[in-house]
Amino acid sequence: MREKIYDAVVVGGGPSGATAATDLALAGHSVLLLERGGRIKPCGGAVPPRLMEDFDVPQSLLVARARSARMIAPSGRAVDMPVGEIGYVGMVDREEFDEWLRERARYSGAERLEGTFEKVERDDEAHPIVTFRRQRGGPIERVRARCVIGADGARSAVAKQCLPGAERVPCVFAYHEIIKSPEEDSDAYDHSRCDVFYQGKLSPDFYAWVFPHGETASVGVGSANKGFSLRGAISTMRADLGLTRCETVRREGAPIPLKPLKRWDNGADVIVAGDAAGVVAPASGEGIYYAMTGGRMVAEAASEFLKTGEAKALKKARSRFMREHGKVFWVLGMMQYFWYSSDKRRERFVTMCDDKDVQQLTWQAYMNKKLVRAKPMAHVKIFLKDTAHLLGLREATR
């Protein structure tokens, strides 16, 4: 019995895979969206207004709108960064959000199938075979694809098999606990504020967070240090903030890549997207917007490949993404390298966040997803202030 042939098999039903499946289906291609059921990625759930507009996502999926961020230094000093009139930080619950995206893919014409990817096989025929199991221990099933899209997250099985060196992408391991939110606001918790902790005791090389999700909240931490206790850090943070008595709804953990892969395709018929391609912003760990943007670019490249048969079209996804977002990733990577390396530097970093120029350009860059060029002198001022803080020429506290 011959395997069913699809134009594209998308492995992974997160924001990137669901977006790619939707766009390819709307372009008239036959698409299979192969997803693993019952998995929710640990994620603060922050999305910018631009995501809602670019991807036609309804406001009803937002469980909260944060109007400010609080940066907490190792000393305990807190700096509030109000968003102001330019927008908000939207919050989504990944369980509901991801499912909505998958269902949109189905309504757009993609076929949904729950199963676990096994591998990509090849034989004498032109197109590869994707193998999977519908349930653990179940029989191996096979479908054939003209194009395979690996959107199966960090440590992607598709990328490891098809792209040399993909397993070496640097990652931070993230862990969070979804808890019932306190009923009333306090200085320790505010339903309209994102709290970010730059403290070595909570993370030696990244940060910890408390993000409001309406009736729930995400209390999380990330670190690349394998010997560091993420659960211990969360326990400490919840105790310090008076959140120990809040009911724990669920616990989740997963690696988060912090550097785009040097190559997203195999030069023939396989391409990766989202976390599998490494498109999570360094320093901030923001991934939803970049995952969906990358998924869209991969879908456009795959569609061109499917129409023309030219495998070189697949390369356009990465080149376009890096052209539009590479500079931001580079800047954020440098920030993480310098400012997250010690508590002394974290203290200076939080002090720098108290600067109004820094706050304004930070929020504008977040909302617009690009470096703001409208105020060149402001960038010069920030560069000089940043250098002064880095060299210790400014006091770490005021």
Side-chain angles (χ1 to χ4, degrees), residues 28 67 90 97 129 131 140 154 239 245 297 304 331 345 393:
R67 301 294 179 178
F97 183 74
I129 299 169
T131 67
I140 293 285
R245 294 184 179 181
M297 292 177 179
E304 181 178 341
V331 169
R345 289 187 177 181
L393 301 179

Side-chain angles (χ1 to χ4, degrees), residues 42 173-177 209 219-222 230-232 234 251-254:
F173 196 87
Y175 168 77
H176 79 162
E177 296 178 359
W209 69 84
V219 183
V221 65
L230 301 180
R231 288 177 178 264
I234 296 300
R251 298 178 174 89
E252 297 149 357

Side-chain angles (χ1 to χ4, degrees), residues 75-348:
S75 66
R77 181 192 181 202
V79 171
D80 287 342
M81 299 176 61
V83 177
E85 301 299 322
I86 62 174
Y88 58 85
V89 180
M91 294 291 162
V92 297
D93 182 279
R94 287 295 299 270
E95 183 175 19
E96 177 185 5
F97 183 74
D98 289 16
E99 177 60 18
W100 186 89
L101 293 176
R102 289 189 286 266
E103 274 297 280
R104 180 166 69 175
R106 185 174 69 85
Y107 286 130
S108 299
E111 180 181 337
R112 283 185 64 176
L113 191 153
E114 188 172 307
T116 301
F117 168 80
E118 289 286 326
K119 59 182 177 179
V120 175
E121 296 180 346
R122 297 185 182 276
D123 55 16
D124 293 335
E125 297 193 25
H127 307 307
I129 299 169
V130 176
T131 67
F132 61 92
R133 299 177 191 267
R134 293 180 188 256
Q135 55 187 352
R136 180 177 296 182
I140 293 285
E141 299 186 48
R142 295 172 173 80
V143 294
R144 200 176 288 273
R146 295 177 61 203
C147 179
V148 179
I149 297 177
D152 49 337
R155 312 299 191 197
S156 161
V158 174
K160 285 182 181 179
Q161 181 182 345
C162 302
L163 302 179
E167 71 280 358
R168 294 192 296 270
V169 62
C171 288
V172 160
F173 196 87
Y175 168 77
H176 79 162
E177 296 178 359
I178 296 294
I179 65 172
K180 291 286 188 180
S181 298
E183 293 184 4
E184 298 181 357
D185 288 343
S186 66
D187 187 61
Y189 181 83
D190 189 319
H191 288 77
S192 63
R193 187 186 70 216
C194 296
D195 291 353
V196 186
F197 295 80
Y198 297 99
Q199 300 178 335
K201 69 176 184 178
L202 297 179
S203 174
D205 51 0
F206 203 57
Y207 66 82
W209 69 84
V210 178
F211 285 178
H213 285 186
E215 296 182 355
T216 62
S218 167
V219 183
V221 65
S223 176
N225 187 330
K226 295 182 179 179
F228 184 76
S229 174
L230 301 180
R231 288 177 178 264
I234 296 300
S235 179
T236 297
M237 184 161 56
R238 289 183 64 172
D240 290 347
L241 298 174
L243 301 176
T244 303
R245 294 184 179 181
C246 297
E247 178 187 346
T248 302
V249 178
R250 63 178 188 265
R251 298 178 174 89
E252 297 149 357
I256 299 176
L258 293 180
K259 188 176 182 180
L261 292 181
K262 293 183 178 180
R263 184 166 182 170
W264 291 7
D265 70 280
N266 69 342
D269 47 25
V270 177
I271 187 169
V272 293
D275 280 13
V279 292
V280 176
S284 69
E286 182 188 357
I288 300 176
Y289 174 80
Y290 293 114
M292 294 178 71
T293 298
R296 173 154 289 174
M297 292 177 179
V298 164
E300 291 173 352
S303 182
E304 181 178 341
F305 161 66
L306 291 169
K307 291 174 181 177
T308 65
E310 297 288 338
K312 63 182 180 181
L314 297 176
K315 298 183 184 299
K316 294 182 179 180
R318 187 186 187 280
S319 62
R320 180 184 170 192
F321 183 92
M322 297 305 294
R323 185 169 59 251
E324 294 188 15
H325 302 289
K327 289 183 179 178
V328 171
F329 273 47
W330 183 84
V331 169
L332 292 174
M334 294 299 291
M335 282 178 56
Q336 181 174 339
Y337 176 80
F338 283 115
W339 294 117
Y340 295 4
S341 60
S342 70
D343 271 355
K344 184 177 180 179
R345 289 187 177 181
R346 293 185 189 99
E347 195 76 38
R348 291 174 178 162

Side-chain angles (χ1 to χ4, degrees), residues 328 331 352 355-358 360-365 370-387:
V328 171
V331 169
M352 189 173 65
D355 186 278
K356 299 305 179 185
D357 289 327
V358 171
Q360 183 182 26
L361 290 185
T362 295
W363 285 126
Q364 287 178 348
K370 61 184 178 181
L371 297 177
V372 181
R373 302 179 183 276
K375 297 183 178 181
M377 287 310 299
H379 283 288
V380 172
K381 287 169 63 180
I382 289 175
F383 173 76
L384 294 175
K385 293 171 184 175
D386 184 82
T387 302

